[in-house]
Amino acid sequence: MKKQLFSLALLLSLGTSFAGSSFAASTAVVGQEQRQDREHDKDKDHKRGQRGAQNKQRHLDQLAKDLDLSSKDKGKVEKIFQEQQQQMQALRSRSGADRSQAMAERKRIQESTNKKLKDVLSKKQYAQYEAKRQERQRQMADRQNDRRGNDQRNNFRRDSSRRS
């Protein structure tokens, strides 16, 4: 009887130590996966930042070409857009602000940017810039409307398939 109790106790202690070590190993694996996920997210953010910077540079280069800007004027325009971006980021970081207040601040930033651009660009260049900006806004609105239309159609299809 003592041998059986001793054997049972030994089995229980081995089973417990095995379970503990496998739990520790699985915890280590989960921790490693979480670290890899964080590193992957950092890489994605870095790449997204690089893409954003490349897109901005490409946009600036295209604008300089379209408006026939000198290298001096291109530098001035780039500085104006950088200032605008910094102001917009600061505004977004204050997410607790009232929506109407934020809209008014965005409008003020845009007006300030436009005033600075008018000082750098000729009347003809500014008119071309404004026409291109409005065209981009129209295209974005069209894309948004297309997405909303697709979403509404998909929702309708999903709802009608549920009824069937």
Side-chain angles (χ1 to χ4, degrees):
M1 177 82 169
K2 287 182 182 181
K3 287 183 181 182
Q4 289 175 340
L5 283 175
F6 181 73
S7 298
L8 183 62
L10 184 62
L11 284 173
L12 285 174
S13 65
L14 286 174
T16 306
S17 69
F18 177 72
S21 65
S22 69
F23 175 75
S26 66
T27 304
V29 169
V30 169
Q32 183 180 5
E33 289 173 352
Q34 288 174 343
R35 277 192 302 280
Q36 288 173 344
D37 288 346
R38 282 193 303 268
E39 289 172 8
H40 179 71
D41 290 345
K42 285 180 186 177
D43 288 345
K44 282 175 61 176
D45 289 345
H46 180 70
K47 287 178 184 176
R48 190 177 302 128
Q50 284 180 332
R51 257 194 322 267
Q54 290 170 349
N55 287 341
K56 287 175 190 154
Q57 188 60 47
R58 193 172 28 245
H59 176 256
L60 182 65
D61 291 343
Q62 186 62 45
L63 185 65
K65 181 181 173 186
D66 292 344
L67 301 181
D68 194 29
L69 294 178
S70 68
S71 60
K72 183 179 176 183
D73 287 344
K74 181 181 174 185
K76 290 178 182 178
V77 168
E78 183 176 16
K79 185 178 177 190
I80 291 168
F81 285 139
Q82 285 175 348
E83 289 173 6
Q84 179 189 29
Q85 180 186 11
Q86 290 170 351
Q87 291 173 340
M88 290 296 207
Q89 283 178 339
L91 178 62
R92 282 190 290 271
S93 69
R94 295 177 289 184
S95 60
D98 179 29
R99 183 181 171 103
S100 60
Q101 227 177 0
M103 292 292 284
E105 181 68 13
R106 277 189 200 94
K107 186 174 181 180
R108 187 199 63 72
I109 292 169
Q110 185 62 48
E111 289 171 354
S112 172
T113 299
N114 288 341
K115 183 181 180 304
K116 291 174 187 175
L117 286 171
K118 283 180 183 178
D119 292 342
V120 173
L121 303 175
S122 69
K123 287 184 180 186
K124 180 181 175 186
Q125 287 173 325
Y126 185 78
Q128 288 174 315
Y129 162 75
E130 191 62 29
K132 291 219 174 269
R133 189 179 67 79
Q134 289 176 358
E135 177 60 27
R136 263 194 332 273
Q137 284 180 333
R138 262 194 304 279
Q139 288 172 350
M140 287 189 324
D142 289 347
R143 282 194 303 266
Q144 254 183 346
N145 289 335
D146 287 348
R147 274 193 297 249
R148 284 186 186 135
N150 287 338
D151 289 345
Q152 288 173 351
R153 282 189 293 276
N154 290 340
N155 288 340
F156 176 76
R157 288 182 191 135
R158 188 174 35 244
D159 289 345
S160 54
S161 68
R162 288 179 186 162
R163 290 183 198 130
S164 301

